[in-house]
Amino acid sequence: MTAGVVSDASAESLAGVFKALGAPTRVKLLSMVAAAPGAEACICDMTAPVGLSQPTVSHHMRLLVEAGLVTREQRGRWAHFRIVPGALAAVAFALQPAGSATRES
């Protein structure tokens, strides 16, 4: 992003990610998934730590899925979430000043 003007598609994608990360609750939920054993978290374990109902946490997680930050897998009655490989690194890379780092494949 800092190496030049981003394309319309890239700007749209990045804005979606930033919008999803614009709520402290979603940042906390994302960190819970990343820090969970095996980097996977069940929605059943995510409600109490944020003090919200399951439908509200599901709404927040849906926004993170739509932003491409996590994946969702339904197992019985519970949804399980994982960080999308490379998604957080791509966001960090987009914010780095030009020339400060190289992108790894």
Side-chain angles (χ1 to χ4, degrees), residues 29 43 46-47 50 52-61:
L29 290 168
I43 193 97
M46 299 170 77
T47 57
V50 293
L52 297 171
S53 68
Q54 187 274 326
T56 301
V57 173
S58 289
H59 166 75
H60 285 296
M61 293 307 298

Side-chain angles (χ1 to χ4, degrees), residues 14-90:
L14 280 169
V17 170
F18 295 144
K19 184 175 181 181
L21 293 174
T25 297
R26 288 191 287 275
V27 173
K28 184 168 184 174
L29 290 168
L30 186 64
S31 73
M32 289 170 58
V33 174
E40 177 180 278
C42 176
I43 193 97
C44 60
D45 297 323
M46 299 170 77
T47 57
V50 293
L52 297 171
S53 68
Q54 187 274 326
T56 301
V57 173
S58 289
H59 166 75
H60 285 296
M61 293 307 298
R62 180 179 55 80
L63 296 175
L64 292 171
V65 169
E66 289 173 357
L69 295 169
V70 296
T71 60
R72 179 185 186 278
E73 180 183 335
Q74 191 71 32
R75 295 185 200 154
R77 85 181 255 205
W78 298 113
H80 294 257
F81 298 90
R82 286 186 166 273
I83 301 291
V84 171
L88 299 178

